[in-house]
Amino acid sequence: MKKSFWCLLLLAALLLVPAVCSAASEAQDITADCEIRTSGGSDVVRLYDRQYTTRWTGRERRETWIEFTTADAVPAGFLYVCFAVMPDEWRVETQVDDEWVALVSGGTTYMHTIVELGGATHFRLWARFDKAQQLIINELFVLGEGDLPSWVQVWEPAPEKADLLVLAAHPDDELIYFGGLLPTYATEQGKKTVVVYMTDSNTTRMSELLNGLWEMGVHSYPVIGPFYDGYSRSLEEGYRKWPRKQARSFVMEQIRRYRPDMVVSHDVEGEYGHGAHRVCADVALYCVQNCMRVDAESDSAAKYGLWTVQKLYLHLYGDDPLRLDWHVPLSSLGGRTGLQAAQDAYALHVTQQNTNYVVTDEGPYSCALFGLAYTTVGEDVERNDLFENVVPGGVNPSAYATPSPEHVTFARPDVTCEWPSTLTCDRDALGYPTQGEHVLKDEEAGLWFYASPSLVVRIDRFSNPEGPVVWYEAEVFADTSVNRFGSVLFDPSDPERQHVQPARIATENQVVFGMNTDYYTYRTGRGLSVGIIIRGGEVLYDDAPKTQRDKFPNLDTLAMFSNGEWDVFDFNAHLAQDYLNMGAVDVFSFGPWLFRGEDFNPYVFESPRGVYQEPRCAVGMFENGHYVAMMVEGRMGKESAGVSLPELYELMRATGCTLAINLDGGQTAAFTFMGERITRVGTYSGGRTYPRTTTELIGIGRSDLIDPTAETE
């Protein structure tokens, strides 16, 4: 009898084993078996189609709920939500006596988030927005009871003190260009890591970003920047989309907040040339070099204190970057190599699979090549570990706390213009005179020339009888630490008050070369859009029109920066504060801009006012410190009829400059050299043949050879 009892007891125990194992097994996805209702009655299939490229959107714009009833009253263990838009408040509710009461309140930190349901069979997700906004969800999972599957993301906060900060422009850049970096250092070696993205691109790519990080074992939630996604072909264009001041402020705050020992970011050339990648590299360099300065982005310095980054690596940097081995099997990732883990993560970026991008450590954009761009702990010797020489926990920043002037890179370009044979002097290796000022005025030959140790100006007069057209080209080479092309005001205390002849402004200010500006004062007081007008770093008008493309002038802008750089923008690209944030000192509004790199402005060829032959004026830049200005005479009968906008475009293209903009022409256009007007003006109202009066010039250079008291026209 006892033997039979123990046999039965053993049999019962064996029968219980599957049940115990089942209870401890992985929780299953039971979403498709649930009855699902929504407050707006909208289609719910996209909630669980398991395609992150689709999304479900609620119909209500403030409060929305999604109600679930499990099949056959199967207990639900978890609700996993992948938000596309995070509500201001959300919770999971259950029904008690016909009233919905809160079961779990959800957090608003993580876009992919999970809550425990405790075996509920009937519950709902309720969400609220402070402003009119529809609830949008990429994917949603109702899971049964059991252990969470490994693919469910349970995010941890970013570490208070990081070992490594990775700065990427877009989702997937951390894979394509950095390869095994995160699997190797963040996951296998356990380095405390913060991944910072300047943009999430869109809601779908946000989910792909999180899925990719999780696949590599990165469980610290990333930092997502506020910048919008847009392709750019240069650093300058990148800063037009992500203003320099804002980009620096954002990245500096992350460095000071998370205090990384090392930072890794993009190639200074933007890998294949992407301007946003270049911005990342440029901003990373600036912030790492200046994060110990109290006067650099002082808001974050006050909030988080100063910090010293020990090393900065940039992708592909330098002539001899080190090559990291991403083919080492990683035990934390089941024996996959760092490269394999990055490739598996990239496969989860579904929207990018039809592109030409791949994760590879071969070819010109190898994800294994990194150069040391900055170090406070010495150069690499072993060259096989980014953390070589790094002191765990950081170094004392107090030695670097003394404020220093902001680093600004000035230019002193080679003088490539022809030197007049009648002028002889000693010149340095770049072509500037070693001493003195040298001047040539030959009106008959149509040549004006000035040279000093920091400035060379050559002005040539050209003619084409078939036009007929006569035009002047001024080529300028400047040491921008000494000379800055910019506004020269007749009365800086009241820049709009008194209008005088341009020669008078040039003479009294001893301006070597001067020219007309945007003549914005014509538009003031006439009910016209004035545009963005900044002079000497002060905003005179912040009047960017909402629409101006079909008008002339269309008020496109020319921005001149403190270090001598120029750039041109669409009329509605920025507000005045944006230009100040970028470091602009002067902003002129007229337009249209003609070209920028290989891009051209189609309005040049579409403007109804652009087809007429008129006196016209334009300026352009080859590179920092090397500029060109052009003035075409017109309204002069058989001597010079002027040119159309497309013809002006062709003349400026022929100079070889990289960007150009049209400024005010007609009777406003004028060139001055050494205080004298050298260009002619056609006859206009009342038989006058002198330029309109103005309040300012765009000028460069100052010479004591000009008598500031001399009489002018």
Side-chain angles (χ1 to χ4, degrees), residues 349-578:
H349 287 254
V350 179
T351 59
Q352 306 305 298
Q353 298 309 302
N354 291 327
T355 68
N356 295 322
Y357 303 118
V358 294
V359 179
T360 178
D361 61 353
E362 300 176 352
Y365 309 129
S366 167
C367 65
L369 297 177
F370 297 87
L372 184 60
Y374 175 89
T375 177
T376 62
V377 292
E379 300 294 327
D380 295 328
V381 177
E382 299 297 330
R383 292 174 56 83
N384 59 7
D385 179 15
L386 298 185
F387 278 84
E388 181 181 353
N389 300 328
V390 168
V391 179
V395 297
N396 181 9
S398 60
Y400 303 92
T402 302
S404 59
E406 182 176 357
H407 176 70
V408 176
T409 302
F410 293 102
R412 190 168 182 261
D414 289 344
V415 177
T416 56
C417 67
E418 182 179 354
W419 194 278
S421 60
T422 56
L423 288 181
T424 58
C425 65
D426 292 332
R427 285 176 270 170
D428 63 21
L430 297 182
Y432 297 86
T434 56
Q435 60 183 351
E437 295 180 89
H438 307 269
V439 180
L440 171 67
K441 302 177 184 178
D442 191 339
E443 184 174 354
E444 183 177 353
L447 174 62
W448 296 262
F449 192 87
Y450 172 89
S452 74
S454 64
L455 179 66
V456 173
V457 178
R458 179 179 174 123
I459 306 173
D460 288 277
R461 185 177 64 227
F462 299 94
S463 63
N464 180 357
E466 295 182 1
V469 62
V470 175
W471 75 96
Y472 299 73
E473 292 182 15
E475 191 170 10
V476 176
F477 304 85
D479 180 343
T480 56
S481 67
V482 179
N483 301 278
R484 190 185 71 82
F485 226 149
S487 172
V488 180
L489 294 168
F490 179 69
D491 184 359
S493 66
D494 190 353
E496 300 176 39
R497 181 178 64 87
Q498 190 171 353
H499 289 64
V500 298
Q501 283 294 312
R504 182 178 174 187
I505 301 174
T507 299
E508 293 189 10
N509 289 277
Q510 299 176 294
V511 175
V512 172
F513 170 68
M515 58 179 293
N516 61 282
T517 69
D518 52 13
Y519 196 45
Y520 76 92
T521 54
Y522 174 82
R523 301 188 290 276
T524 61
R526 285 181 166 86
L528 303 173
S529 293
V530 179
I532 304 293
I533 306 297
I534 298 176
R535 299 293 189 264
E538 295 187 8
V539 178
L540 303 184
Y541 291 91
D542 190 2
D543 186 25
K546 295 181 179 179
T547 175
Q548 188 79 7
R549 185 177 181 279
D550 296 329
K551 296 182 180 180
F552 189 90
N554 70 341
L555 303 186
D556 287 348
T557 60
L558 166 66
M560 296 179 172
F561 302 97
S562 59
N563 68 342
E565 288 279 359
W566 291 3
D567 210 342
V568 293
F569 301 87
D570 290 336
F571 65 89
N572 58 356
H574 298 292
L575 298 176
Q577 187 60 48
D578 297 327

Side-chain angles (χ1 to χ4, degrees), residues 215-276:
E215 175 66 23
M216 294 184 292
V218 178
H219 295 169
S220 295
Y221 199 75
V223 176
I224 310 297
F227 302 93
Y228 75 95
D229 189 12
Y231 183 71
S232 53
R233 296 178 177 85
S234 67
L235 178 63
E236 294 74 19
E237 188 178 354
Y239 274 129
R240 285 196 294 272
K241 297 180 183 298
W242 297 350
R244 188 188 309 264
K245 175 64 175 177
Q246 295 175 25
R248 285 180 174 181
S249 177
F250 171 73
V251 173
M252 187 73 87
E253 180 171 350
Q254 311 318 313
I255 290 176
R256 286 171 170 160
R257 177 179 181 181
Y258 296 109
R259 297 174 292 155
D261 297 326
M262 184 172 65
V263 175
V264 176
S265 194
H266 283 280
D267 170 31
V268 293
E269 299 298 329
E271 280 80 26
Y272 56 93
H274 200 313

Side-chain angles (χ1 to χ4, degrees), residues 64-114:
T64 303
W65 53 259
I66 307 171
E67 184 178 346
F68 305 87
T69 304
T70 63
D72 301 322
V74 172
F78 306 93
L79 180 67
Y80 178 44
V81 187
C82 301
F83 287 105
V85 177
M86 179 60 70
D88 294 300
E89 179 186 6
W90 70 277
R91 59 179 178 262
V92 176
E93 301 176 329
T94 188
Q95 210 165 22
V96 178
D97 297 329
D98 296 327
E99 294 288 335
W100 288 102
V101 296
L103 179 64
V104 181
S105 294
T108 57
T109 303
Y110 308 134
M111 298 297 288
H112 289 191
T113 188
I114 189 162

